[in-house]
Amino acid sequence: MTVAVELLGPVVVRVDGAPADLGVRARALLARLALDPGRVVSVDALVDALWDGAPPAAPANALQAVVSRVRRAVPGLPLAARAPGYLLDLPRDAVDACRLEDLATTDPAAAEALWRGEPLADLRDLAFTAAPAARWAELRLVAAERRLAGAGAAQLPELDRLVAEHPLREGLVALRVLALHRAGRTTDALAAHEQTRRRLAEELGLDPGPALRAAQLAVLREEEPERPVLRTALTSFRGRVAELDLVADRLAGGRLVTLLGPGGAGKTRLALEVAHQREASTSDGVWWVELAPVGEPRQLPAAVLTAVGQRTATTLERVPTVVEAGARLREVFASRRGLLVLDNCEHLVDAVARLTDDLLTACPGLVVLTTSREALGIPGEALVPVGPLPVPDADDPGAADADVVRLFADRARSADPSFAVTPATLPLLLEVCRRLDGMPLALELAAARLRTLGLAQIAARLDDRFALLTGGSRVALPRQQTLRA
Ligand SMILES: Nc1ncnc2c1ncn2[C@@H]1O[C@H](COP(=O)(O)OP(=O)(O)OP(=O)(O)O)[C@@H](O)[C@H]1O
Ligand SMILES: [Mg+2]
């Protein structure tokens, strides 16, 4: 039997999908217990909630009577007596309001879909409902803001309505200002900002907060740049199906993923694949920042600004300071939705960790993917290990189709167009892959040697593999031209 409690509307208790028939006090009891699923709620707290400060003569007995009625109405309900009160032994997932709390920032659309109307609508004359109902209404708005980050003309009707309902909620007003600007209605955008600024001043004596100021600045600076174009890989991509799934999963459930692994394992290449997939399947922005050439931690924020196409738009002629660049980045991403890829972070881990933490806190629509040989080590970071490609045994029937073999063969053919994987060459090829530990960069460098050496010679010389792999492709990044780099 599965029990679900729905609090985001009139209270409904479902047993295997069907609503149970419960009186008002029974619903109040279950609603109060479901605020803390799996936790004991004291008799005092329950009496207070159900009778609202005007308890009957023998409150514990009266409560016991309500409990008995509930148990009769829903046999098998996991409602247990446990000193000093009762507990409803359900997982958080069984209560819609708990799911709203868990999903509001990670999956805003799913969180909003749980909403059926005013929370606890049938119990609003009981005082205990006020605080949770207000909190859930707030979470619903947080989810809406998160979903609407980066909104444009298509979302304007919804934003108009939301702002009419919550005229002084700066997050929503900022989204509407930017959406008007994106829709080409810059005058309206500035007027909307001005109207809210005046109301804040007159009604609350406040100046606009950071979100609203950032929106106004973005409009004034005319920056809603076209998306930077991701580079296209010039060579084939092989394997990494499980890693791609894992990254998608971690990015759906969180906001920071680090592809972690040794040099040449394929972290950057995997990140590029993720970025392309994301660009193809969403309308979100995708920004790629290559950090290998950035030598100094203090250059990091300015380098990111440049890479996301914002340096030219700043009014600063000189190189911005760390603080200026950091503030500009928060403005730039405050109201955008998208994926920021920070590639090759290992030599700047501390600076990247600080900047990422800062941006994720300030910019609710942003998710970050980093590639690094070292973890950032900040809260919320999901690590996805990127190791060598698996090397099958020679007698494995699928060996010729293994990702390592295909990768090596793809690169071998550009060095030697006559190269083919045959039953005769396969064992030797697998031997080479094994000696190179299935590391993609090493495989590519070895395959490049086929221009001058045969496969057998390569295999034979692999004992001195570092010397063998020095040289090869001239366009490889300097840091990757040999394995020592
Ligand atoms: N799955 C793959 N399919 C095809 N080629 C790959 C794959 N993984 C890596 N490569 C190739 O191997 C080489 C090294 O990969 P990459 O630069 O992504 O490694 P990395 O882990 O980022 O290394 P570093 O730590 O030095 O930055 C690149 O030329 C890349 O194109
Ligand atoms: Mg890399």
Side-chain angles (χ1 to χ4, degrees), residues 267-269 343-344 346 371 479-480:
K267 304 176 293 294
T268 294
R269 190 59 201 267
D343 184 33
N344 298 324
E346 49 279 335
T371 82
R479 57 194 281 279
Q480 286 193 339

Side-chain angles (χ1 to χ4, degrees), residues 231 233-240 259-273 290 292 343-346 371-373 386-387 389 403 406-407 410-411 439-445 476-477 479-480 485:
R231 77 189 146 93
L234 297 174
T235 53
S236 60
F237 179 77
R238 295 291 182 188
R240 302 293 192 201
L259 302 181
L260 180 69
K267 304 176 293 294
T268 294
R269 190 59 201 267
L270 180 59
L272 188 61
E273 206 61 22
E290 157 68 305
D343 184 33
N344 298 324
C345 298
E346 49 279 335
T371 82
S372 180
R373 299 180 194 175
V386 180
L389 292 169
D403 298 319
R406 285 167 174 264
L407 172 57
D410 290 346
R411 304 299 183 263
M439 290 300 262
L441 176 63
L443 292 172
E444 290 193 332
L445 294 171
L477 290 172
R479 57 194 281 279
Q480 286 193 339

Side-chain angles (χ1 to χ4, degrees), residues 389-416:
L389 292 169
V391 182
D393 287 333
D395 53 5
D396 184 329
D401 291 323
D403 298 319
V404 256
V405 174
R406 285 167 174 264
L407 172 57
F408 188 92
D410 290 346
R411 304 299 183 263
R413 269 190 292 273
S414 40
D416 169 10

